[in-house]
Amino acid sequence: PGGEVVLASAGHPSPFLAGVAWEVPPGLPLGVTVEATYEEAAARLAPGEQLVLVSDGVVEAENSLRELFGFERTRELSMNSATEIAEAALAWGQTDDITVVTVRRRT
């Protein structure tokens, strides 16, 4: 209810919070080893702020010139809807799964 978000990285790119890359401590991909530990990061979304989580398939989308969609382009679109971000990466050139989740605090 207060907008608190707690997450841990399991091998995914850093999320974007209110249009800014949120540097979350890195972690091994989930399932690589049973001994893996994951450091949590916490933040608070203000009313109207949006958190965007993407799979590596978004930033690693590659066009016919072998140019990556990249972190900066993803950041520039991070205030858009999940559908708009995914469609932009797909149009750039899909080489992997493309997953985008957006969470917006309303109040």
Side-chain angles (χ1 to χ4, degrees):
E4 184 177 38
V5 176
V6 178
L7 60 86
S9 176
H12 283 94
S14 292
F16 297 92
L17 178 58
V20 176
W22 177 13
E23 296 302 324
V24 174
L28 289 174
L30 204 56
V32 169
T33 176
V34 72
E35 292 85 21
T37 59
Y38 299 92
E39 185 178 345
E40 293 180 343
R44 186 170 309 280
L45 278 94
E49 281 188 331
Q50 178 167 293
L51 174 67
V52 176
L53 302 113
V54 300
S55 66
D56 60 347
V58 173
V59 295
E60 294 174 0
E62 189 177 288
N63 68 14
S64 61
L65 300 175
R66 301 194 56 112
E67 298 169 320
L68 296 179
F69 193 72
F71 289 99
E72 183 59 26
R73 195 170 279 108
T74 305
R75 186 202 58 75
E76 289 171 359
L77 294 173
S78 67
M79 295 305 294
N80 293 7
S81 72
T83 300
E84 291 169 324
I85 297 167
E87 287 176 350
L90 181 61
W92 189 261
Q94 183 175 7
T95 55
D96 196 358
D97 67 289
I98 292 178
T99 303
V100 182
V101 175
T102 57
V103 178
R104 180 180 299 272
R105 181 176 176 196
R106 293 190 186 265
T107 59

